[in-house]
């Protein structure tokens, strides 16, 4: 789907149209992130948007993965709004799944986000915060619905098989040395160092003083930090999540209203 869109834009507006489209998608992603986190702390939001842009700047290209970046942000916000505030935006995700899976194969990120939220909720329930159980079940049911609707594309559920093949290739040491995205992150990259330092500070703060409901955000942070260390292609994804996680882990209240 995204290839058709890109080809039409190029046909009608040429290279300038491609530049405008790419810049518009990236700007919209940054706008959504900033609007969501600035509700809590404007000055801090401005500061943490800088390493976020550094993380994604190498991916500002007219490629289909930009749509996955957009949906990753939307997915996180919709689930997080339900997790914290019981807002019903999450019920739109099965419909958005159809759009996403027909634009780019990055739909697997949707289920990773679901999974991380569910693991975090499970941790909260185990340590005694039983009030999160009901919302965890709803998130699980929505995830199953999204899995069903993900098959509504010209290739059905073969997207999942292709991802399995991709993981096999990524795990092959021979290909790891040839494909740039499969290489481990380099600490010589300034942007990565900045984000890593900030992330480590947040983890230290959480370990020092636990806040109710924060397990989800700690798990998100640790998972994507590990993934970005393993494969540099996930560095940009870490950058997308980092503003949300920093704000939540700093500002999260001890009492969550249900």
């Amino acid at each position: 789907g995204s290839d058709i869109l890109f080809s039409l834009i190029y046909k009608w507006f040429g290279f300038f149209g491609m530049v405008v489209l790419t810049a518009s998608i990236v700007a919209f992603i940054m706008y959504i992130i900033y609007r969501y986190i600035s509700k809590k702390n404007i000055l801090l939001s401005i500061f943490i948007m800088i390493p976020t842009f550094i993380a994604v700047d190498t991916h500002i290209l007219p490629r289909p993965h930009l749509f996955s970046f957009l949906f990753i942000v939307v997915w996180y916000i919709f689930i997080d709004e339900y997790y914290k505030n019981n807002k019903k935006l999450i019920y739109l995700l099965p419909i958005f799944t159809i759009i996403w899976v027909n634009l780019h194969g990055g739909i697997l990120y949707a289920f990773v986000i679901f999974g991380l939220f569910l693991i975090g909720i499970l941790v909260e329930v185990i340590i005694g915060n039983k009030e999160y159980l009901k919302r965890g079940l709803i998130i699980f049911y929505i995830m199953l619905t999204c899995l069903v609707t993900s098959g509504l594309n010209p290739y059905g559920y073969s997207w999942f098989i292709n991802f399995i093949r991709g993981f096999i290739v990524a795990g092959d040491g021979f290909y790891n040395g040839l494909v740039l995205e499969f290489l481990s992150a380099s600490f010589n990259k300034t942007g990565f160092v900045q984000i890593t330092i900030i992330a480590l500070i947040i983890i230290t703060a959480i370990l020092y003083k636990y806040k109710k409901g924060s397990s989800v955000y700690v798990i998100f942070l640790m998972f994507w930090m590990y993934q970005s260390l393993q494969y540099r292609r996930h560095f940009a994804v870490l950058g997308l999540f980092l503003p949300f996680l920093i704000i939540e882990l700093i500002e999260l209240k001890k009492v969550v209203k249900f």
Side-chain angles (χ1 to χ4, degrees), residues 21-32:
L21 176 63
T22 301
S24 299
I25 296 174
V26 174
F28 187 54
I29 293 172
M30 295 299 167
Y31 173 76
I32 294 175

Side-chain angles (χ1 to χ4, degrees), residues 211-214 217 247-254:
K211 295 181 180 180
K212 183 179 179 181
S214 62
Y217 309 113
I247 288 292
E248 291 300 338
L249 296 176
I250 291 178
E251 300 291 336
L252 192 65
K253 296 179 180 179
K254 295 182 180 179

Side-chain angles (χ1 to χ4, degrees), residues 38-196:
S38 63
K39 297 176 183 178
K40 296 186 176 183
N41 192 318
I42 295 179
L43 293 178
L44 179 61
S45 299
I46 295 174
F47 172 74
I48 62 179
M49 286 301 295
I50 297 174
T52 297
F53 187 79
I54 293 174
V56 302
D57 68 343
T58 57
H59 292 267
I60 302 179
L61 300 168
R63 292 178 57 193
H65 70 273
L66 287 180
F67 293 105
S68 282
F69 283 4
L70 174 60
F71 279 109
I72 285 172
V73 172
V74 170
W75 235 254
Y76 178 88
I77 290 175
F78 281 17
I79 300 176
D80 190 50
E81 280 293 281
Y82 181 75
Y83 173 67
K84 293 185 304 185
N85 305 316
N86 200 28
K87 291 188 177 181
K88 308 302 182 181
L89 293 172
I90 191 174
Y91 293 105
L92 295 174
L93 295 185
I95 299 175
F96 284 5
T97 298
I98 302 174
I99 301 174
W100 189 352
V101 76
N102 283 281
L103 285 175
H104 186 237
I107 183 65
L108 185 65
Y109 284 113
F111 299 100
V112 174
I113 296 171
F114 274 125
L116 293 176
F117 265 101
L118 290 173
I119 293 172
I121 290 173
L122 179 61
V123 172
E124 291 291 334
V125 173
I126 290 175
I127 63 180
N129 298 322
K130 305 296 185 182
E131 62 268 35
Y132 287 98
L133 180 59
K134 181 179 179 181
R135 294 190 185 181
L137 290 174
I138 295 297
I139 292 174
F140 178 73
Y141 296 145
I142 295 295
M143 181 183 71
L144 293 181
T145 306
C146 290
L147 183 61
V148 173
T149 58
S150 69
L152 299 178
N153 66 86
Y155 304 101
Y157 293 99
S158 63
W159 65 265
F160 182 75
I161 298 175
N162 291 332
F163 266 110
I164 296 298
R165 292 174 179 171
F167 284 131
I168 294 175
V169 172
D172 190 305
F174 174 75
Y175 288 103
N176 280 348
L178 297 177
V179 182
L180 181 63
E181 291 186 341
F182 291 161
L183 295 176
S184 298
S186 171
F187 280 90
N188 292 323
K189 301 296 182 180
T190 305
F192 182 81
V193 174
Q194 291 174 337
I195 290 183
T196 303

Side-chain angles (χ1 to χ4, degrees), residues 169-230:
V169 172
D172 190 305
F174 174 75
Y175 288 103
N176 280 348
L178 297 177
V179 182
L180 181 63
E181 291 186 341
F182 291 161
L183 295 176
S184 298
S186 171
F187 280 90
N188 292 323
K189 301 296 182 180
T190 305
F192 182 81
V193 174
Q194 291 174 337
I195 290 183
T196 303
I197 291 174
I198 295 174
L200 289 174
I201 291 173
I202 299 302
I203 290 178
T204 302
I206 293 303
L207 292 176
Y208 175 73
K209 189 173 184 180
Y210 166 79
K211 295 181 180 180
K212 183 179 179 181
S214 62
S215 297
V216 166
Y217 309 113
V218 174
I219 288 172
F220 257 91
L221 187 58
M222 296 180 68
F223 177 82
W224 289 112
M225 281 186 64
Y226 172 78
Q227 288 298 318
S228 63
L229 284 169
Q230 282 288 98

